[in-house]
Amino acid sequence: MDRRGLWKLVLALLAFGSANANDSDAPATHTVTIANMKFEPAELIVKRGERVIWINKDLVAHTATATTFDSSNIGPNASWTLVTLKSGEQTYVCSLHPTIKARLIVR
Amino acid sequence: MNKWVTFLVSALAVGVATTSGASETLSDAQIAAIVVTANQVDVDAGELAVTKAEAAPVRKFAELMIADHSGVNKSATELVTKLRVTPQPSATSDSLKKGGEENLVALKKLRGGAFDRAYVEHEVIYHQAVLDALDRTLIPNAKNAELKALMVKVRPAFVAHLEHAKQLQDSLGKSGG
C-alpha cells in the first residue's frame, strides 16, 4: 500500500468511527406491543426526545390516544411512531376499546 | 331476558351438549361456520344500531362491533381458504343465524332509549355466550392448530367487548330495558 492508499484507509476508518458515534447518539426507540387487547409494557419510561413505536399484533385495529397525542387507527400488523417532545406522565388508552389502558412516562 | 337471548344461549348450549354426547362432536368445518356466523350476527346487529341508536356512545360501540367482527371474519375466511376447509352448517350455526335474524326483527320495533338498552343488553349476553362457547366447546374441539390459535387470539377481543358493553349498560341504566 502506498502512502496515498494508507491515508485513504485511515480516513475510511475515521469515517466509520464517527458514523458509529452518531449511531450511539441517536435517540433510542422503545416498542409497545399491542396484543391480546393489552399494551405491553403497561408502563413505559423514556427520555425526552426518544421514540416510541406501537406495533399492533391483534386482529382488530387499535389506537394509542392521550391528551397530547393520538395515533388514530393502527390496523392489524401496522405500527405508529411517536417522538416524545415534552416531559410528563400520562395515561393513554385505545380510543376504540376504552378498557385498554397504559402509562407513558417521559423524563 | 328477551326471547332472542334465550334462543342464543340455548343455541350455543347445543354445541356444548353435542360435544359432551358420545355420538357427535363438532368438526373443524362446523366450528369455522359457527365462528363466521357468530361474528356476522354481531356485524348485522351493529349495522342496525349505527342507524337507530340514540346515544352517541352506543353508536360508537356499534361501529366498533362492525369493524372488529368484520376484521375477525376476514382473518377467519383467510384461514379457512388457506386450510381449504369449507365452513359447514350445523344446528348451532343455524340457530345462531336464526336467532340473529329474530333479534333484528325485535330491535327494529324499538326506538330511542329503549332501543339502546335492548341492543346493549343483547351485546352483553351475546359476548358472554360466545365466550362460554369458545371456552367450553369451540377451542377444546378444534383439531387444526391454526384454527385453535385464531380463536385463542380472538378471545381477548370478546372479553374487551363484554366489559365495554357492561360499562355502557351501567351508564344507560338497567331499568326499563
Side-chain angles (χ1 to χ4, degrees):
Chain A
M1 191 181 288
D2 63 9
R3 183 167 290 192
R4 184 172 287 183
L6 186 65
W7 270 113
K8 275 187 181 168
L9 180 64
V10 168
L11 286 172
L13 285 171
L14 283 171
F16 183 73
S18 70
N20 267 358
N22 281 343
D23 281 352
S24 64
D25 288 346
T29 298
H30 303 265
T31 301
V32 176
T33 303
I34 317 173
N36 298 318
M37 309 299 276
K38 282 180 189 159
F39 294 113
E40 179 61 39
E43 183 178 283
L44 179 65
I45 302 171
V46 305
K47 290 179 193 155
R48 191 161 59 89
E50 290 181 337
R51 292 161 189 267
V52 181
I53 179 166
W54 279 264
I55 301 174
N56 181 10
K57 304 243 171 141
D58 267 338
L59 295 175
V60 300
H62 291 294
T63 79
T65 305
T67 47
T68 59
F69 62 87
D70 181 12
S71 65
S72 75
N73 285 11
I74 308 169
N77 297 316
S79 65
W80 181 72
T81 303
L82 171 76
V83 179
T84 57
L85 297 175
K86 285 187 178 175
S87 301
E89 299 188 19
Q90 54 190 327
T91 297
Y92 66 92
V93 298
C94 167
S95 65
L96 300 170
H97 308 95
T99 54
I100 310 175
K101 291 177 186 174
R103 278 184 76 67
L104 177 64
I105 298 164
V106 182
R107 291 199 168 137
Chain B
M1 193 180 282
N2 67 32
K3 189 183 160 199
W4 185 84
V5 167
T6 312
F7 202 87
L8 170 67
V9 171
S10 58
L12 288 166
V14 168
V16 178
T18 307
T19 54
S20 61
S23 59
E24 194 182 12
T25 54
L26 292 171
S27 67
D28 281 1
Q30 288 172 321
I31 290 171
I34 292 167
V35 169
V36 170
T37 306
N39 281 295
Q40 190 56 48
V41 159
D42 208 45
V43 170
D44 294 344
E47 281 173 350
L48 178 68
V50 162
T51 62
K52 288 200 70 165
E54 185 176 69
V58 177
R59 273 202 308 277
K60 200 176 165 196
F61 178 83
E63 285 168 3
L64 180 68
M65 293 305 104
I66 296 168
D68 282 5
H69 289 287
S70 300
V72 170
N73 261 359
K74 184 170 172 279
S75 301
T77 305
E78 284 168 3
L79 179 62
V80 295
T81 306
K82 180 187 150 196
L83 297 176
R84 298 186 180 179
V85 170
T86 305
Q88 190 183 356
S90 61
T92 306
S93 67
D94 288 347
S95 298
L96 275 172
K97 195 175 172 197
K98 191 175 170 214
E101 286 162 2
E102 289 182 5
N103 180 52
L104 292 182
V105 170
L107 283 175
K108 279 176 185 168
K109 293 176 186 159
L110 301 172
R111 300 175 71 176
F115 175 91
D116 289 3
R117 284 189 295 274
Y119 168 66
V120 172
E121 184 202 17
H122 140 258
E123 288 298 299
V124 168
I125 295 161
Y126 158 85
H127 282 92
Q128 186 63 63
V130 173
L131 275 172
D132 289 348
L134 281 171
D135 291 344
R136 293 179 197 164
T137 312
L138 304 177
I139 293 172
N141 274 289
K143 287 157 206 75
N144 181 277
E146 286 183 83
L147 179 62
K148 197 185 279 268
L150 176 80
M151 291 189 288
V152 169
K153 194 170 181 182
V154 160
R155 191 186 182 283
F158 278 86
V159 175
H161 291 170
L162 176 63
E163 289 309 308
H164 193 164
K166 281 181 178 173
Q167 285 175 8
L168 276 179
Q169 197 173 34
D170 286 343
S171 69
L172 292 171
K174 287 175 188 171
S175 61

